[in-house]
Amino acid sequence: MTARASIVVTGTEVLTGRVADRNGPWLAEQLRVLGVDVGHVVVVGDRPGEVRAALDFLAGTGVDLVVTSGGLGPTADDLTAEVVGTWQHRPSEVDPELEHRIAAVVERLSARRNWRVDPAAAAAGVRKQARVPAGSTVLEPVGTAPGLVVPPAAGRSGPLVLVLPGPPSELQGMWPDAVADPTVQAALGARVELRQQTIRLWGTQESTLAVTLRRLESALDGLEVTTCLRDGELEIVTRYAPDAQPRYDALLAAVRDEYAGTLVSTDGSTVDDLVARALADGGLTVATAESCTGGLLSARLTARAGSSGWVLGGVTAYADPAKQQLLGVPAELLARVGAVSTEVAAALASGARETFGADVGVGVTGIAGPGGGSEAKPVGTVHLCAVGPDGTRERSLVVPGSRQAVRERTVTVAMQLLRSLLAGGPPA
Amino acid sequence: MTARASIVVTGTEVLTGRVADRNGPWLAEQLRVLGVDVGHVVVVGDRPGEVRAALDFLAGTGVDLVVTSGGLGPTADDLTAEVVGTWQHRPSEVDPELEHRIAAVVERLSARRNWRVDPAAAAAGVRKQARVPAGSTVLEPVGTAPGLVVPPAAGRSGPLVLVLPGPPSELQGMWPDAVADPTVQAALGARVELRQQTIRLWGTQESTLAVTLRRLESALDGLEVTTCLRDGELEIVTRYAPDAQPRYDALLAAVRDEYAGTLVSTDGSTVDDLVARALADGGLTVATAESCTGGLLSARLTARAGSSGWVLGGVTAYADPAKQQLLGVPAELLARVGAVSTEVAAALASGARETFGADVGVGVTGIAGPGGGSEAKPVGTVHLCAVGPDGTRERSLVVPGSRQAVRERTVTVAMQLLRSLLAGGPPA
């Protein structure tokens, strides 16, 4: 039988939407890949009654494991450890050994960061973080907060509660220890760890793919296939037990066959991965010339560690004089066809290539809006061009949506254009 | 008495973390400002049993209103309307008028987007979306999905359920109608709408501010003060009923007094707002020269509508030759002090100013990592300079964290430096 788990995310700042929760989705994903069925993610503020209500609810759904995140800080409103302890009928007490270890961490951090610290307040905070439910297992702190494995008290039933800190880096850093804990292992029970595969398409509608999936339905038994439009790509994620591998292989073959023209990758590679790999493997350099995307393409290309090996640089040419002087776009061309045109996109791409002495140049021009549109060139009109040693790719389109959406989607189109150019295949 | 509400977010793609939920936080914020106390946000997959379990749980906590998002699409796995109807003992039936209206929308959308549509499948989808619980109130679709106000069946008690679509633009577009609905108004009861104010500080530690807030504690009665570190700024959000205005004024005065040197804004303005306003009001233009931030500063400055009025452009000078040829950084200087230095940051700022003919130039150089660091210049070392007609601001620091964190934090430091320069106050 598949183990079942749910997640409680605590924190008023998360509940009220001031901070986006990253832990719930991350934990759900980890549990799912471990073969655990996730039922609910409950977000609650820092109020003991509401944390207890969430635990009661989840226990009532019969889950084997509840994972909590947050509420382990040094201040009084961080109360998860105490609330979970009481709920499991395990009163909390200070663990003196743990207190020493946390004190040492706090001292080191304070020294390194030059904090002005009130010693009494710091000691009280350390003591608070070292208070743990009797009989729980401590997971060593990644920051200053320990994690806790809190089983029901002897003679009681109910889910195991795994208490993890709120900062994502601490929670994720502690996860391997948490999963390795024997009590957690026992709660997760006999599971089959699932395989997960991702296929990406660019230019296929979700509804079109749905028709294919419906046709294959009987052959997909044992595969959990979800499709999702992400950043313009259609992402197909499939999870399955190892014995369903032949059926996944059949699905993959069908997709390869039917969508060869829009297939980006079958191994989870993103367009960013593919572009970086093609540039690095080909020993090619790249430079950009951007108008409406304002540097976002350059930022995306340089987001990757090691990108200084292939990115020479870029120009954001917002004003027309910059397009002329830095990138050699002829004033006559700008006057004749306007800055937002296929001709200027091509001139920008060539200009980037020449200005930086790069193998590949990418030019982007368009109207991000909300102002600046006309009947002939509505908001969202963008022209892109990628020029390399062996060819050129061009694309013109009208991108719907807000200024931000137009800019971001245009950068994605530029990445796909670059991928297509570097792959040497048919135009994107 | 304050009305109480909770939120159910449905969708397997949200539960599994493949798509980040934006509706829970947004709804919580809207409800909070309406003076409604939000208890829980529950995220569930598209499984009827789990949606029902969430509704049972929230009803058990005694809330007046449950708001759901998602699960209103045209396909069979979108089942929120049906599940909520059954839960409220209101069987669903097709509303023929609504069916006509949705069909018209679908037809219009399909024509505009050139979808290939199977007529039978489309009609089935429309019919599904027009099935609503008997006795519920329909909120007109923003996309194709109607919202629903579903009270308990006659003679039954429990919360009112407000059913809203999943796409954030549809949910947000429908919200004014939803709140105006008389049944929703009745569930929200007699409320005092809260005021919300935001103060931003740059360079004050959260723990330091906590000392001030503790000292003022007795004077803060009736104010709900939360502090949060966001993008390097310390954000103080205060919510209060109108009769607590004098106490908020006192808090504001105390913060102004004690944190004059780090105060960014007291009216909710972001550093981006302040920089844009100062450039626009001063009739000044700006240009950037970036190394480690790779175009992110330029992208941030141009994110705002109308920014072409003051941003002339920028150069991402990843390679040293680009720094020399495009921005006039002397080769001798690069050889002598290295690209990552205060001198080169200053030369980049001046170079950006001259190359683009801008009033203000900003230069950024540094080591974003993870490679490239040394003992003398560890990863995260960044140097920034902003030069304007009336002065210069410089800043050097070591930013902790990942490559992404270093890049993003450095851009924020650059924005603060620019704000400081444009305000003409003391260096940031």
Side-chain angles (χ1 to χ4, degrees), chain A residues 7 9 20-28 41 69-70 165-169 171-172:
Chain A
I7 296 162
V9 175
D21 169 45
R22 288 165 52 196
N23 293 333
W26 190 87
L27 288 168
V41 177
S69 86
S169 60
L171 177 138
Q172 295 177 19

Side-chain angles (χ1 to χ4, degrees), chain B residues 96-427:
Chain B
E97 285 301 312
L98 181 59
E99 188 179 4
H100 284 303
R101 298 202 297 278
I102 298 174
V105 173
V106 170
E107 204 167 308
R108 210 167 53 235
L109 285 179
S110 304
R112 192 190 309 165
R113 299 191 188 164
N114 269 322
W115 282 338
R116 283 173 299 169
V117 179
D118 168 13
V126 169
R127 202 169 167 77
K128 188 262 155 197
Q129 288 191 298
R131 266 181 73 84
V132 300
S136 60
T137 305
V138 169
L139 302 170
E140 277 308 298
V142 172
T144 63
L148 297 165
V149 180
V150 192
R156 303 190 61 90
S157 64
L160 178 68
V161 182
L162 171 61
V163 177
L164 297 176
S169 61
E170 296 186 29
L171 177 137
Q172 294 178 20
M174 199 177 280
W175 183 248
D177 277 4
V179 172
D181 178 82
T183 320
V184 172
Q185 280 289 324
L188 297 182
R191 292 156 296 112
V192 176
E193 295 202 9
L194 300 187
R195 295 179 182 172
Q196 176 169 315
Q197 304 277 0
T198 303
I199 303 172
R200 294 198 165 86
L201 306 178
W202 168 255
T204 292
Q205 299 282 340
E206 198 164 11
S207 55
T208 308
L209 180 70
V211 173
T212 302
L213 293 178
R214 268 199 300 279
R215 201 191 63 228
L216 295 174
E217 195 165 11
S218 61
L220 301 182
D221 199 42
L223 305 182
E224 182 195 321
V225 183
T226 55
T227 65
C228 161
L229 208 60
R230 187 197 292 281
D231 201 13
E233 288 176 358
L234 186 53
E235 194 180 270
I236 312 167
V237 174
T238 309
R239 293 198 180 101
Y240 55 93
D243 65 2
Q245 185 68 44
R247 289 193 291 286
Y248 178 73
D249 294 340
L251 168 64
L252 179 59
V255 171
R256 271 188 196 284
D257 183 44
E258 200 153 338
Y259 299 101
T262 61
L263 193 65
V264 173
S265 71
T266 62
D267 64 354
S269 295
T270 62
V271 62
D272 301 72
D273 295 332
L274 296 171
V275 165
R277 212 177 297 154
L279 289 166
D281 292 354
L284 298 169
T285 57
V286 65
T288 57
E290 306 177 61
S291 171
C292 61
T293 49
L296 276 182
L297 175 59
S298 159
R300 183 152 163 185
L301 285 169
T302 57
R304 179 168 299 253
S307 54
S308 58
W310 52 86
V311 179
L312 296 185
V315 171
T316 302
Y318 236 51
D320 278 353
K323 295 185 182 78
Q324 297 165 35
Q325 288 153 32
L326 287 170
L327 296 157
V329 179
E332 171 276 321
L333 186 67
L334 286 165
R336 184 158 50 84
V337 294
V340 179
S341 58
T342 52
E343 293 87 342
V344 169
L348 287 170
S350 301
R353 217 177 150 214
E354 280 158 33
T355 297
F356 288 91
D359 299 305
V360 178
V362 188
V364 183
T365 179
I367 303 164
S374 65
E375 201 158 330
K377 296 180 181 179
V379 166
T381 301
V382 295
H383 301 278
L384 303 98
C385 180
V387 185
D390 305 319
T392 297
R393 290 286 182 286
E394 292 187 326
R395 181 95 194 265
S396 296
L397 68 163
V398 180
V399 181
S402 65
R403 178 178 179 85
Q404 188 188 348
V406 170
R407 283 162 46 104
E408 288 178 359
R409 179 55 54 86
T410 302
V411 170
T412 297
V413 175
M415 293 299 290
Q416 297 285 358
L417 206 64
L418 200 43
R419 173 183 66 80
S420 162
L421 177 78
L422 293 167

Side-chain angles (χ1 to χ4, degrees), chain A residues 4 12-21 24-26 28-29 32 37-45 47 49-51 53-54 57 61 75 113 115-116 121 196 205 207-208 214 224 226-230 235-237 239 288 291-300 302-309 311-319 322 325-326 355-356 369-371 403-404 407, chain B residues 4 12-21 24-26 28-29 32 37-45 47 49-51 53-54 57 61 113 115-116 121 196 205 207-208 214 224 226-230 235-237 239 288 291-309 311-319 322 325-326 355-356 369-371 403-404 407:
Chain A
R4 293 173 56 223
T12 300
E13 72 288 2
V14 175
L15 179 66
T16 57
R18 304 242 331 284
V19 169
D21 169 45
W26 190 87
E29 181 92 29
R32 199 73 202 83
D37 191 20
V38 178
H40 296 88
V41 177
V42 184
V43 182
V44 295
R47 291 185 283 198
E50 279 159 16
V51 177
F57 157 52
T61 66
T75 55
R113 300 191 187 165
W115 284 338
R116 282 173 300 168
Q196 176 170 315
Q205 299 283 341
S207 53
T208 308
R214 267 200 300 278
E224 179 195 322
T226 56
T227 65
C228 161
L229 207 61
R230 188 197 293 280
E235 194 180 270
I236 312 167
V237 175
R239 294 198 180 98
T288 57
S291 170
C292 62
T293 49
L296 276 181
L297 175 58
S298 159
R300 184 153 163 184
T302 58
R304 179 169 299 254
S307 54
S308 58
V311 180
L312 296 185
V315 171
T316 302
Y318 235 53
Q325 288 151 33
L326 288 169
T355 297
F356 288 91
R403 179 178 179 86
Q404 189 189 346
R407 284 162 46 103
Chain B
R4 293 174 58 225
T12 300
E13 73 288 2
V14 175
L15 180 67
T16 56
R18 304 242 331 284
V19 169
D21 169 44
W26 190 87
E29 180 92 28
R32 201 71 203 85
D37 191 21
V38 179
H40 295 88
V41 177
V42 184
V43 182
V44 296
R47 290 185 285 198
E50 279 160 16
V51 176
F57 158 52
T61 66
R113 299 191 188 164
W115 282 338
R116 283 173 299 169
Q196 176 169 315
Q205 299 282 340
S207 55
T208 308
R214 268 199 300 279
E224 182 195 321
T226 55
T227 65
C228 161
L229 208 60
R230 187 197 292 281
E235 194 180 270
I236 312 167
V237 174
R239 293 198 180 101
T288 57
S291 171
C292 61
T293 49
L296 276 182
L297 175 59
S298 159
R300 183 152 163 185
L301 285 169
T302 57
R304 179 168 299 253
S307 54
S308 58
V311 179
L312 296 185
V315 171
T316 302
Y318 236 51
Q325 288 153 32
L326 287 170
T355 297
F356 288 91
R403 178 178 179 85
Q404 188 188 348
R407 283 162 46 104

Side-chain angles (χ1 to χ4, degrees), chain A residues 387-422:
Chain A
V387 185
D390 304 319
T392 297
R393 290 286 183 286
E394 291 188 323
R395 180 93 193 266
S396 296
L397 67 162
V398 180
V399 181
S402 66
R403 179 178 179 86
Q404 189 189 346
V406 170
R407 284 162 46 103
E408 288 176 359
R409 178 58 52 87
T410 302
V411 170
T412 297
V413 175
M415 294 299 291
Q416 297 285 359
L417 205 65
L418 201 43
R419 173 183 66 80
S420 162
L421 177 78
L422 294 167

Side-chain angles (χ1 to χ4, degrees), chain A residues 170-182:
Chain A
E170 296 186 29
L171 177 138
Q172 295 177 19
M174 199 177 278
W175 183 249
D177 278 3
V179 172
D181 177 83

